[in-house]
Amino acid sequence: MNDPAPLYVKVKRHITDAISDGKYLPGAKLPSESALVEALDVSRMTVNRALRELTRDGLITRLQGVGSFVSNARPMTSLVELRDIRDFVLELGADYSCKVLVAERRQANRRVGELLEVGKGAQVLHVAILHYSDGVPMQLERRFVREDFSPDLLKQDLEATSTFRYFQSIAPVSELEQVVEACTPDAQERRWLKLEANCPLLRIRRRTWVGSRIVTLGYFSHPGDQFRVTVRLCPGDLSR
């Protein structure tokens, strides 16, 4: 509980961490509001807000007079995988570094509004981060995030803590969509990734859900001659 985030966010993280660690399995009953108030030394109002938001996000179910229970989330198949780019680079035996290029609050354009399902002109958070492998640009990460999902995003040191780990600390992803395309880089991608004019680009568009809400929209761009996507699945995944 010793971090600068609002108290209700700390309570949410305490609960989501326990769920992620397997302390509370799907269907398990969570401690009562009174027990959480006493254990975490916060007000009942703080605990109530945290539980309301976890319910809204689909992570827990609350039954009046009975208690709060972990939702039965659908498992993520091996067809898709969420990984921190830091871990990927380090596993290659390379030195990892990154640079935050943009961190701002802005209005969503038509396309971003449609994909995030917030509508054109809605306020969203936008960050752009360049990731390096041994000092060479490897990935340009551009994210658009619902502000009500991550109100403190722009206060984070995103060169010390990755967006991947930060978002996972707020709430585990319940659904993921990834679209992979080979394309020509736009002016920003060409400049930031230091690409030649004829160099192909591999771009991954990712949307993540928490409960029934789309909470992040990301574009991950890589030099096409240095990066590839591998998909591995089991026959059982095809029946899901």
Side-chain angles (χ1 to χ4, degrees):
M1 299 292 288
N2 186 25
D3 67 57
L7 286 175
Y8 77 91
V9 174
K10 298 179 188 179
V11 175
K12 287 177 64 177
R13 289 177 184 169
H14 173 81
I15 295 171
T16 57
D17 285 349
I19 294 172
S20 297
D21 292 342
K23 182 177 180 181
Y24 301 114
L25 299 176
K29 186 175 182 180
L30 296 174
S32 66
E33 285 192 17
S34 298
L36 288 169
V37 167
E38 182 176 353
L40 303 179
D41 193 24
V42 294
S43 70
R44 183 175 291 272
M45 184 180 300
T46 296
V47 169
N48 187 266
R49 177 172 179 178
L51 294 176
R52 286 202 317 271
E53 293 202 2
L54 290 171
T55 302
R56 177 200 66 189
D57 293 340
L59 296 176
I60 69 172
T61 301
R62 303 178 75 189
L63 300 178
Q64 188 173 3
V66 180
S68 300
F69 300 82
V70 180
S71 296
N72 290 302
R74 288 183 295 172
M76 192 176 296
T77 73
S78 61
L79 182 61
V80 292
E81 182 181 20
L82 275 176
R83 295 195 67 196
D84 193 333
I85 186 66
R86 298 168 186 251
D87 296 337
F88 182 82
V89 171
L90 293 174
E91 286 177 9
L92 293 176
D95 290 328
Y96 169 83
S97 60
C98 71
K99 180 180 180 181
V100 176
L101 305 171
V102 178
E104 62 182 1
R105 181 179 288 102
R106 61 183 287 182
Q107 288 187 329
N109 62 25
R110 181 185 62 82
R111 184 61 173 160
V112 170
E114 287 177 354
L115 289 170
L116 267 180
E117 296 184 354
V118 296
K120 179 181 178 181
Q123 289 290 316
V124 296
L125 304 180
H126 170 233
V127 297
I129 303 169
L130 189 58
H131 302 274
Y132 298 86
S133 174
D134 281 341
V136 177
M138 182 179 192
Q139 181 193 83
L140 173 61
E141 170 188 359
R142 293 184 287 191
R143 289 198 192 244
F144 299 90
V145 184
R146 291 182 63 122
E147 188 167 9
D148 58 357
F149 169 68
S150 180
D152 297 319
L153 174 62
L154 301 185
K155 300 177 184 177
Q156 306 304 309
D157 181 354
L158 296 177
E159 293 182 7
T161 301
S162 68
T163 53
F164 172 84
R165 285 192 166 88
Y166 176 62
F167 292 141
Q168 288 291 94
S169 75
I170 297 174
V173 169
S174 55
E175 190 171 346
L176 170 71
E177 172 193 84
Q178 297 203 102
V179 178
V180 182
E181 60 179 353
C183 54
T184 302
D186 60 31
Q188 281 187 331
E189 290 167 327
R190 188 178 298 114
R191 182 174 72 255
W192 284 336
L193 289 169
K194 302 186 185 307
L195 300 176
E196 299 293 335
N198 60 349
C199 182
L201 187 82
L202 183 67
R203 186 188 298 139
I204 301 172
R205 189 193 77 199
R206 178 188 300 162
R207 293 196 294 173
T208 61
W209 280 254
V210 171
S212 61
R213 295 192 313 155
I214 300 171
V215 294
T216 73
L217 164 66
Y219 293 92
F220 304 86
S221 303
H222 313 82
D225 58 352
Q226 301 176 27
F227 205 85
R228 64 183 178 181
V229 174
T230 301
V231 176
R232 179 177 178 177
L233 66 156
C234 300
D237 294 329
L238 298 173
S239 63
R240 296 182 180 180

